Amino acid sequence: MMNTHQNTVPILIDRAALRRNRSRADRLGPVDFLHRLMADEIEDRLAEIKRSFSRIAVVTGFAEFWSGVFPAARVVADEPELDLLPGAYDLVIHAMALHWAEDPVGQIAQCSRALQPDGLFIAACPGGRTLNELRDALTRAEAEVTGGLSPRVLPMGEIRDLGALMGRAGLALPVADQIAQNVSYRSLFHLAQDLRGMGEGNALNGRLRHPTRRKVLMRAAQIYAESHPDPADPDRVRATFELVFLTGWSPDASQQKPLRPGSAKMPLAEALRNMRKPQE
């Protein structure tokens, strides 16, 4: 008898909804302060490398903004299959889109394959603590008012997990770091307006397909104001945006290699003893 059962992985992201959210943001006039912060950070990192890049690709859902930052770059959409040429670029930037990837390691692996030897990969995306205040307020309000929960805020990766993806994708010398940006808003509703302007509204596949009850939203706004006031102005609320930056290199023989285990000239214990000896 044929087994017709198939193991299927649940789809997390509704790509059609994500495209609608981004198109609406373009029509509203995009709220791009996170993009500007990330662009400044990326340019600072590139300046520290002291190396020129002439064949650049940018993967993003916000082509107009990033084309302005890197006018000579080839900008491609962050679709599951990236329109990148294998081995064609010395720099690939994944800009403000990795958190919406159904398969983030697959996205990084495609970027890795598109790099020339000793080419640089940089990704910038929100991390796990982003919007933790909003997540808390909505969860508590919905549970209190309806007795249930629905997916409302995209789960975002922790820096350690995101950093580990680079090695899995075949990149060398991986580095992951983060900065936290606290933003002050008049209320939950003003934060929600900014999220719509960013194209970062709810595009989860399991989201509610009807408007949220007004009572849930009003209670969430109340919880937000009570639990997460802006320390500088208690009449406002605070929103956290954690920005994660990933860098890695396409492997090349010229790159520095880690020491082989056991190759140190002095045992660690002896080195530590020498460090503790008083100076004569």
Side-chain angles (χ1 to χ4, degrees):
M1 180 177 179
M2 182 179 295
N3 183 2
T4 59
H5 176 72
Q6 295 182 343
N7 292 323
T8 57
V9 178
I11 297 174
L12 179 64
I13 308 300
D14 182 341
R15 298 290 304 181
L18 180 61
R19 286 189 286 269
R20 287 196 300 271
N21 289 348
R22 290 170 172 175
S23 295
R24 179 175 60 184
D26 287 338
R27 292 195 303 272
L28 293 173
V31 176
D32 61 7
F33 69 89
L34 287 184
H35 291 264
R36 285 186 274 112
L37 278 171
M38 288 179 165
D40 289 345
E41 287 288 330
I42 290 172
E43 289 181 323
D44 287 346
R45 284 161 168 75
L46 292 175
E48 291 174 0
I49 293 171
K50 295 181 173 61
R51 171 175 160 181
S52 61
F53 296 93
S54 58
R55 294 171 293 280
I56 303 171
V58 180
V59 178
T60 187
F62 302 88
E64 184 175 353
F65 176 88
W66 287 95
S67 293
V69 178
F70 296 98
R74 181 163 186 251
V75 178
V76 304
D78 61 317
E79 295 295 333
E81 297 294 328
L82 300 178
D83 185 20
L84 293 174
L85 303 173
Y89 312 99
D90 54 9
L91 172 62
V92 175
I93 299 170
H94 207 295
M96 195 62 177
L98 194 61
H99 58 304
W100 286 112
E102 197 77 43
D103 177 17
V105 71
Q107 289 277 298
I108 299 175
Q110 290 181 71
C111 294
S112 177
R113 288 194 293 271
L115 286 170
Q116 300 171 352
D118 204 33
L120 178 62
F121 168 77
I122 300 179
C125 65
R129 290 189 295 136
T130 297
L131 299 176
N132 60 352
E133 303 92 348
L134 178 62
R135 192 189 315 272
D136 171 62
L138 288 171
T139 298
R140 289 164 58 187
E142 188 171 22
E144 179 182 314
V145 173
T146 71
L149 291 175
S150 59
R152 293 184 177 276
V153 180
L154 176 71
M156 287 168 260
E158 299 295 333
I159 184 170
R160 179 178 299 179
D161 298 329
L162 291 169
L165 298 182
M166 288 187 288
R168 291 174 56 193
L171 291 167
L173 308 174
V175 176
D177 64 299
Q178 63 189 22
I179 60 174
Q181 182 71 31
N182 295 321
V183 183
S184 179
Y185 286 97
R186 286 171 56 190
S187 70
L188 176 151
F189 300 109
H190 292 85
L191 167 59
Q193 183 177 352
D194 253 16
L195 292 176
R196 285 192 292 272
M198 295 177 192
E200 297 291 334
N202 190 352
L204 291 168
N205 196 51
R207 72 192 185 280
L208 290 177
R209 301 305 173 110
H210 57 77
T212 299
R213 290 167 55 180
R214 176 178 170 82
K215 189 174 181 180
V216 172
L217 295 177
M218 297 304 294
R219 180 59 181 141
Q222 182 182 16
I223 292 172
Y224 203 136
E226 293 170 351
S227 301
H228 307 288
D230 179 357
D233 185 349
D235 292 329
R236 299 172 66 87
V237 298
R238 181 187 64 200
T240 299
F241 294 92
E242 180 183 73
L243 310 182
V244 174
F245 298 88
L246 309 175
T247 60
W249 295 84
S250 179
D252 183 71
S254 66
Q255 292 166 352
Q256 182 179 354
K257 302 295 189 297
L259 291 174
R260 291 180 292 104
S263 63
K265 296 182 178 179
M266 180 184 296
L268 177 60
E270 183 179 343
L272 292 174
R273 283 197 299 271
N274 290 340
M275 290 173 63
R276 295 193 192 101
K277 288 181 180 179
Q279 298 292 323
E280 295 182 358

